[in-house]
Amino acid sequence: MARKTARAHEEMAHPWSSEPRRESARRARAELEFDEPMVLGALFGQFDSNLVLIENRLGVYIAARGNRIQIEGSEDAVARARDVLKGMHQRLLSGQEIDPGAVEALIAMSNEPTLEGIISGGNEAPPIMIRTRRKTIVPRSATQIEYMRALAKSDVIFALGPAGTGKTYVAVAQAVSQLMNGSVQRLILSRPAVEAGERLGFLPGDMKEKVDPYLRPLYDALYDCMPPEQVERRLASGEIEVAPIAFMRGRTLADAFVILDEAQNTTPAQMKMFLTRFGQNSRMVVCGDPRQVDIPGGDSFSGLADAVKRLEGVDGIATIRFNAADVVRHPIVGRIVEAYEGKDG
């Protein structure tokens, strides 16, 4: 069956609900009609939970009857709700799942004038997404779109911003995708072994057991993008390597997708050493939050800040900056980040 998109048109009749409504100067109504009834259950959500979420976030009233949805509210809110529903519908038709996080992301992106282009990739461009063995990752903020584009074309990418913006997760997804399609031969994930304001003391076990706790977030992203048996097999064969930055010295990382996480906790010397490991047919992503430096001396001793200052604008190097509005975890995480950044700023 050929895919059809949602059709929207302005509707001047009252919504089906007979509930009285307060009139305002710029109230509007719009109607959406969907031609694929098999996706309506996933579109609406259990007990219409997705529609309720949109109502609560955008301050609109949504009435659904059969394959038709009618929206009432302020002019801007109605337009945003309509775009969000069309985006959800299009994602379902392309085989993607819709969860509350995806709905929240579309609501956040509905402020962007190019929402429809973001979802569809434009009239001629392919959709912006990363396909892995276990899932398809689509952008959940406007900055993630810019980030995914940079991951596809730049040699070195600096991804800066607070926790929860998808810096590391999206980079790991892109790395897994390139490993699976054969465009790189190895995936190397690294981060400095620095405690977050704690001193853990002596850790028992061999070297791997000592450093694995520091690298656990990278493992988590890997297992989310690949079947566990694939991860274990590729770790054993060396196709995937997870190691602290100290293990990078003296190496040339060719035919590899290399990710450095928590880069704000490197020293300038460590960062220079890491960046100069870059080899032929490789891509390198450096992720970090400049506001969460845990090394002695703080910001002024961070290799990430030093590298960005020196290298921003150099050909082949992209710098992507996320902020609290790009947080794609629970909405309260974004509010927490905003509160801390406001206090510091």
Side-chain angles (χ1 to χ4, degrees), residues 291-314:
R291 288 176 170 265
Q292 291 192 343
V293 178
D294 299 313
I295 58 174
D299 298 6
S300 59
F301 288 85
S302 171
L304 178 62
D306 179 68
V308 171
K309 181 174 66 176
R310 294 174 184 272
L311 300 175
E312 189 166 15
V314 172

Side-chain angles (χ1 to χ4, degrees), residues 90 114-129 149:
Q90 196 165 35
T114 56
L115 175 61
E116 191 168 345
I118 287 166
I119 296 165
S120 66
N123 294 330
E124 298 179 358
I128 300 169
M129 62 179 65
R149 287 175 174 150

Side-chain angles (χ1 to χ4, degrees), residues 183-330:
S183 56
V184 297
Q185 301 303 311
R186 293 184 294 165
L187 196 166
I188 299 172
L189 309 175
S190 184
R191 64 185 288 175
V194 175
E195 298 99 338
E198 302 173 82
R199 292 293 177 267
L200 301 180
F202 173 77
L203 293 174
D206 59 20
M207 181 61 71
K208 183 177 185 301
E209 291 170 330
K210 291 177 188 293
V211 301
D212 268 3
Y214 298 103
L215 305 172
R216 178 48 51 187
L218 298 174
Y219 283 110
D220 290 343
L222 269 180
Y223 283 110
D224 208 30
C225 294
M226 296 178 72
E229 63 276 7
Q230 283 268 349
V231 176
E232 297 300 332
R233 180 173 65 79
R234 292 174 186 268
L235 282 167
S237 70
E239 289 178 86
I240 298 177
E241 180 182 347
V242 184
I245 191 172
F247 287 19
M248 299 296 112
R249 185 173 295 280
R251 302 177 61 183
T252 299
L253 306 176
D255 293 306
F257 198 112
V258 188
I259 299 172
L260 175 62
D261 194 26
E262 298 294 337
Q264 74 275 6
N265 290 326
T266 61
T267 65
Q270 285 177 319
M271 180 62 75
K272 179 183 176 183
M273 178 273 292
F274 182 82
L275 292 172
T276 53
R277 301 307 93 199
F278 193 88
Q280 292 293 327
N281 190 38
S282 290
R283 181 149 295 151
M284 186 175 282
V285 183
V286 178
C287 306
D289 181 357
R291 288 176 170 265
Q292 291 192 343
V293 178
D294 299 313
I295 58 174
D299 298 6
S300 59
F301 288 85
S302 171
L304 178 62
D306 179 68
V308 171
K309 181 174 66 176
R310 294 174 184 272
L311 300 175
E312 189 166 15
V314 172
D315 188 39
I317 297 178
T319 303
I320 308 297
R321 288 181 169 84
F322 294 86
N323 55 45
D326 298 307
V327 171
V328 293
R329 292 180 186 167
H330 193 284

Side-chain angles (χ1 to χ4, degrees), residues 125-178:
I128 300 169
M129 62 179 65
I130 299 171
R131 295 190 185 278
T132 68
R133 187 63 61 88
R134 297 195 70 178
K135 59 168 59 178
T136 296
I137 290 89
V138 295
R140 290 195 167 191
S141 74
T143 310
Q144 278 194 7
I145 296 158
E146 183 185 359
Y147 187 31
M148 286 187 180
R149 287 175 174 150
L151 288 171
K153 65 181 182 180
S154 297
D155 295 321
V156 178
I157 301 98
F158 288 100
L160 316 176
T165 51
K167 304 183 302 294
T168 304
Y169 188 89
V170 171
V172 170
Q174 176 72 356
V176 168
S177 178
Q178 291 197 210

Side-chain angles (χ1 to χ4, degrees), residues 163-164 324 327 329-338:
V327 171
R329 292 180 186 167
H330 193 284
I332 199 170
V333 177
R335 295 195 286 272
I336 290 170
V337 171
E338 285 179 341

